[in-house]
Amino acid sequence: LPVGGIKEKVLAARRAGIHRIILPKVNERDLAELPEQVRKETEFILAERIEDVLCAAIPELACCFPAAGGERRERGDGGETAQQVARGP
C-alpha cells in the first residue's frame, strides 16, 4: 500500500541523520518531489513484498527469502525492480 507524506517523512529522516530508507514500490513516483541533493545522498529501497523489507532491514535474513532477491539488489539511479536499490530519479 502507498504511504502518504513521503517528502515530509524523508526530509525529517534526513534531519535525524538517516540515509537509507525503505519505501513501498508504489511510492517511487513520490521521489521526484524530493530535492535533487536529498535524492543523491539517500539510498532508497523500493519494496513490493514484506520479504523485500525484511531482507533490506536485516541482511542476515536474505538467505531465508530467496524470492525476495536480497542478493540481486543493485544500486542505481531509479527504474530498478522492487528488489533493487534506487537512488531516486
Side-chain angles (χ1 to χ4, degrees), residues 22-81:
I22 303 169
L23 294 172
K25 173 73 173 166
V26 296
N27 283 105
E28 183 174 18
R29 66 180 179 266
D30 297 322
L31 298 178
E33 297 176 12
L34 296 170
E36 182 178 351
Q37 191 65 28
V38 171
R39 288 194 313 261
K40 287 181 180 180
E41 295 175 353
T42 305
E43 180 180 3
F44 295 97
I45 300 171
L46 305 171
E48 287 184 316
R49 303 166 45 108
I50 188 64
E51 291 88 348
D52 299 331
V53 174
L54 292 171
C55 290
I58 309 169
E60 296 80 18
L61 291 181
C63 63
C64 298
F65 302 104
E71 68 278 356
R72 292 188 318 237
R73 285 185 292 178
E74 301 170 2
R75 291 181 185 235
D77 60 353
E80 292 86 14
T81 66

